[in-house]
Amino acid sequence: MKTNSITIRQVVLVFFMLMVQHVSWAQPMMNISSRNVQSLDGMWKFIIDPYNHGDWSYWHDQKFDGTILQDYDFDTSPELRVPGDWNTQRPELYFYEGTLWYRTKFNLQSSMQRKEDSKLFLHFGAANYKTKVWLNGKSVGEHEGGYTPFEFDVTDKVFSDKDNSLVVRVNNVRLADGIPTYSTDWWNYGGLTRSVCLVETSPTYIYDYSVQLSKTDSKIINGWIRLKGNNVSGQKVRLSIPELKINKILESGTDGSVGFLLKAKPILWTPENPKLYTVNLTLNGETISDKIGFRTISVQGDKILLNGKPVFLAGVNIHEETLNDSRRATCAEDDSLLLCAAKEVGCNFVRLAHYPHNEDMVRLADRIGLMVWSEIPLYWGIDWKSKRTYSLAVNQLTEMISRDRNRASVIIWSIANETSVNRERTEFLTNLAGEARKLDNTRLVSAALQNVNKQLAHNVYTVEDPLHEALDIFSFNEYIGWYDNTKYACDSITWVLPENKPIVISEFGAGARIGRHSGKDAYFSEDNMADVYRHQFVMLRKIKGLAGTMPWILKDFRSPHRMLSGIQDDFNRKGVLSDKGEKKQAWQVLKDWNEEHRK
Ligand code: GCB
């Protein structure tokens, strides 16, 4: 019977898929942009597949010769731009959550025509949320997590003499035990949202490195280099920083790594003077170059110290969504519009919410002098009891930290946003904070805690959360004047907070539709929003140990939670800029505060 034969085939296929696919759990190599790469960005064919039909057929197999025209044909299918979210490229995909198949064909460009024994990797900047990959009909691997890079070794799967066919299945269905999980107040942009490329390396290559100012002595640059490949032991690596007259040969140990400690007196990186140095690492004639800034970040009592001096984080929150047309940011111009707007509103700091933004965004922050809070999307409703979720969290944290550990701009790793307090969650996040410190003990570790209307007495607020013991700064979100109490209450509210930690307000805000002036007490009126900011600042000014503020948010952004017709129209309206980048009244109130506070 047909049904039976399909069932048997399905069972065999599932078994086969489990056998041959491996999940990409290892961090990808550092600094792709300085390697020999072939971009695979451009227009890719796609097939939408809401019923996962392709899993049971051979879409990912090699039968693209046009002879099998039953059910699918990539050649006659429409196209999507990569990188890019699928939702904003075609109306029928706007609300789509499901499986979509991509295919591109490519020839190896001449610079990739391989030297003997060289290796080829397929690198994805990010794909949301689950990804499976086939190259020339062969399974390459899979990855889970929508905002961090991953790569696969495809050395023995690439054809150098004929068309290569790369098929990628991306699925953005939200999962109970995923990160994030079911509910997010941002758009679940699906697809190949960041660049895809091939990377060629020598058989033994520089895989990862850390080059930083010592935590305890700003006249020492220290770090390590790790090699991977066929012969990692006893290799000579040259480390040079020409401007600092550093030129040193280092020799790798049997495990392929080597540490170093060098005397130097660099000009320190600050938002006012974001000095970067060219750092070259050379192995067997191949050089990886980076631009690295040197600074320290620490806390002392209730102060955050940048290079040993107190600094106030005059910030704003940002989603990775473009300033003028509200899609996933994908190029240098998109990043630049966002970060330049943050600078224009007087910031020296940005919270890149609620997931790691693209690598170029962070590199741009390095260049233009913005300190960065970088976060993984442990957000509302996480399954704290699931071991799978914990291992996903560690993986996302590892991929975020290992991509950006050399960025001077990044001063805070955030492990979560607004998670309700219970024993399992606090244990989960305390352990995760420990993982963050193991991966990088030079930066501050934080999480945006939440204030759930906790009043000790009338208008005396506090935040009770034992997680703060595991964190370096005490940062929390509060929405007094919007979700909680009234803006007028701000004038008399006092806060009872720990006295020995810097206090950072990681969110506050109010919504307004641009051009709506329905009075200073009316919801979604610009006048009200600006007024909430004014009253908030009256309150925040009085907090002892206040070390940073970042209102929610730079610009209006798409959210499936925000359907109020004629006002929200699928947008969270708490931006100081509209979804087209126009300034609301609150913009100037924020700018005045930031300019007064940034030091
Ligand atoms: C929050 C969340 C943020 C939301 C915001 C809001 O506390 O952290 O993701 O978008 O509130 O507008 O409600």
Side-chain angles (χ1 to χ4, degrees):
M1 234 168 74
K2 202 167 183 226
T3 356
N4 269 347
S5 69
I6 286 173
T7 309
I8 290 161
R9 192 173 138 218
Q10 286 177 348
V11 170
V12 171
L13 268 173
V14 167
F15 179 69
F16 184 68
M17 280 157 62
L18 288 174
M19 294 297 289
V20 295
Q21 293 187 346
H22 62 275
V23 178
S24 172
W25 236 215
Q27 67 181 73
M29 68 185 93
M30 174 66 81
N31 191 3
I32 291 301
S33 56
S34 137
R35 300 178 188 258
N36 185 22
V37 295
Q38 173 173 346
S39 170
L40 300 180
D41 292 348
M43 299 308 289
W44 291 38
K45 297 286 183 185
F46 81 92
I47 299 172
I48 181 168
D49 186 15
Y51 282 24
N52 297 317
H53 178 75
D55 290 346
W56 311 114
S57 69
Y58 298 96
W59 290 12
H60 42 276
D61 210 328
Q62 219 178 324
K63 297 171 184 165
F64 306 122
D65 54 7
T67 55
I68 300 181
L69 288 179
Q70 201 186 34
D71 296 330
Y72 85 98
D73 182 5
F74 274 115
D75 286 338
T76 56
S77 293
E79 293 181 324
L80 282 173
R81 193 178 0 88
V82 173
D85 66 77
W86 65 49
N87 313 73
T88 59
Q89 295 193 53
R90 299 182 72 99
E92 71 272 28
L93 295 176
Y94 184 58
F95 286 106
Y96 185 60
E97 294 187 317
T99 296
L100 189 139
W101 295 81
Y102 288 91
R103 190 210 64 191
T104 188
K105 287 192 161 193
F106 64 90
N107 291 319
L108 271 194
Q109 69 192 27
S110 52
S111 66
M112 308 293 280
Q113 295 296 344
R114 289 176 284 151
K115 288 165 247 135
E116 220 189 320
D117 286 343
S118 69
K119 288 180 182 290
L120 278 177
F121 294 87
L122 187 58
H123 180 94
F124 294 81
N128 191 32
Y129 170 77
K130 274 190 167 185
T131 310
K132 290 188 182 181
V133 183
W134 293 262
L135 183 57
N136 298 323
K138 292 200 180 118
S139 168
V140 161
E142 58 188 272
H143 179 263
E144 178 169 352
Y147 303 96
T148 42
F150 54 98
E151 72 191 14
F152 305 103
D153 185 341
V154 291
T155 309
D156 55 2
K157 297 188 179 76
V158 177
F159 302 143
S160 39
D161 52 343
K162 55 178 169 160
D163 258 7
N164 289 280
S165 171
L166 175 61
V167 172
V168 183
R169 175 197 195 270
V170 186
N171 178 295
N172 70 336
V173 168
R174 288 162 290 127
L175 304 172
D177 61 354
I179 302 178
T181 175
Y182 289 138
S183 189
T184 61
D185 190 19
W186 71 87
W187 212 261
N188 182 20
Y189 288 124
L192 295 172
T193 50
R194 295 189 189 146
S195 290
V196 184
C197 65
L198 279 169
V199 189
E200 192 220 20
T201 72
S202 298
T204 303
Y205 61 99
I206 295 169
Y207 164 63
D208 195 7
Y209 53 88
S210 165
V211 184
Q212 304 209 11
L213 205 60
S214 150
K215 243 181 117 172
T216 48
D217 184 345
S218 60
K219 293 191 187 59
I220 287 180
I221 291 175
N222 61 11
W224 43 260
I225 299 166
R226 282 189 199 130
L227 310 182
K228 255 197 175 176
N230 301 352
N231 180 17
V232 295
S233 170
Q235 294 280 356
K236 303 254 187 317
V237 184
R238 180 183 295 277
L239 164 64
S240 80
I241 310 179
E243 249 188 287
L244 293 175
K245 303 205 170 18
I246 289 176
N247 194 349
K248 190 110 189 129
I249 307 269
L250 305 161
E251 190 172 324
S252 62
T254 46
D255 64 348
S257 69
V258 53
F260 59 85
L261 200 142
L262 306 162
K263 282 212 156 119
K265 248 182 124 182
I267 297 170
L268 301 183
W269 185 97
T270 63
E272 297 72 34
N273 181 20
K275 170 75 187 157
L276 301 179
Y277 289 88
T278 300
V279 175
N280 302 314
L281 301 172
T282 307
L283 172 69
N284 298 328
E286 258 182 26
T287 298
I288 307 290
S289 280
D290 212 334
K291 292 267 188 195
I292 298 182
F294 299 106
R295 54 104 192 95
T296 58
I297 189 78
S298 56
V299 294
Q300 195 177 63
D302 63 5
K303 303 264 182 299
I304 298 177
L305 307 180
L306 177 69
N307 301 321
K309 294 189 199 122
V311 65
F312 186 88
L313 311 180
V316 71
N317 279 278
I318 303 187
H319 264 300
E320 195 190 21
E321 190 180 277
T322 52
L323 196 78
N324 302 326
D325 54 357
S326 301
R327 52 180 169 77
R328 182 59 82 225
T330 55
C331 63
E333 195 192 337
D334 294 343
D335 299 343
S336 164
L337 284 172
L338 288 167
L339 293 193
C340 290
K343 282 221 110 172
E344 195 189 330
V345 76
C347 294
N348 60 7
F349 178 86
V350 285
R351 175 174 176 224
L352 301 182
H354 285 297
Y355 40 79
H357 291 205
N358 73 76
E359 181 173 350
D360 289 344
M361 186 87 90
V362 187
R363 286 182 175 271
L364 179 62
D366 260 15
R367 290 199 297 278
I368 66 176
L370 278 168
M371 294 176 282
V372 168
W373 162 312
S374 189
E375 181 161 294
I376 51 170
L378 281 162
Y379 180 98
W380 299 355
I382 293 291
D383 181 354
W384 305 113
K385 292 188 185 138
S386 157
K387 289 205 168 81
R388 194 188 95 85
T389 308
Y390 186 74
S391 91
L392 266 176
V394 172
N395 188 54
Q396 293 193 17
L397 188 75
T398 309
E399 288 173 343
M400 170 176 77
I401 294 180
S402 43
R403 191 192 72 182
D404 291 340
R405 66 165 84 254
N406 291 306
R407 304 286 67 84
S409 55
V410 180
I411 58 163
I412 296 171
W413 301 124
S414 165
I415 55 170
N417 174 73
E418 280 193 358
T419 50
S420 18
V421 181
N422 60 58
R423 195 178 51 78
E424 286 88 7
R425 162 276 195 184
T426 303
E427 205 175 294
F428 183 118
L429 290 178
T430 302
N431 291 339
L432 201 60
E435 290 293 334
R437 290 184 211 286
K438 262 195 256 159
L439 288 159
D440 176 14
N441 70 355
T442 70
R443 289 173 171 86
L444 311 182
V445 176
S446 189
L449 309 179
Q450 63 181 342
N451 165 53
V452 211
N453 199 8
K454 179 79 190 164
Q455 296 196 43
L456 297 171
H458 178 65
N459 282 354
V460 180
Y461 274 73
T462 191
V463 177
E464 280 174 1
D465 191 336
L467 179 64
H468 90 86
E469 308 278 351
L471 307 172
D472 293 311
I473 56 178
F474 196 93
S475 50
F476 65 95
N477 304 347
E478 53 84 9
Y479 278 90
I480 297 168
W482 187 253
Y483 295 125
D484 182 7
N485 216 324
T486 67
K487 62 185 175 188
Y488 300 108
C490 289
D491 303 347
S492 55
I493 282 175
T494 50
W495 285 88
V496 177
L497 296 166
E499 294 200 348
N500 58 347
K501 273 196 172 164
I503 308 296
V504 169
I505 310 299
S506 34
E507 288 179 30
F508 65 93
R513 171 97 188 197
I514 187 94
R516 196 175 149 94
H517 295 282
S518 40
K520 84 175 177 32
D521 290 321
Y523 270 134
F524 295 104
S525 153
E526 275 200 52
D527 320 67
N528 181 50
M529 179 183 175
D531 217 28
V532 170
Y533 272 59
R534 284 188 205 98
H535 286 280
Q536 275 279 344
F537 290 141
V538 169
M539 176 183 77
L540 299 181
R541 217 177 258 292
K542 289 187 284 195
I543 294 181
K544 196 182 152 295
L546 185 72
T549 50
M550 49 226 66
W552 191 256
I553 184 172
L554 180 69
K555 70 161 283 269
D556 292 355
F557 60 96
R558 291 187 203 272
S559 166
H561 278 290
R562 311 292 173 171
M563 294 294 165
L564 197 59
S565 183
I567 293 189
Q568 292 176 315
D569 299 321
D570 315 347
F571 280 88
N572 181 315
R573 295 289 179 196
K574 295 194 188 70
V576 290
L577 296 172
S578 75
D579 58 292
K580 303 272 181 313
E582 305 136 296
K583 292 173 181 143
K584 299 183 193 170
Q585 266 186 36
W587 169 276
Q588 191 57 46
V589 187
L590 174 60
K591 191 172 160 85
D592 292 345
W593 167 268
N594 280 343
E595 282 174 354
E596 179 194 335
H597 283 78
R598 58 176 294 167
K599 288 190 190 120

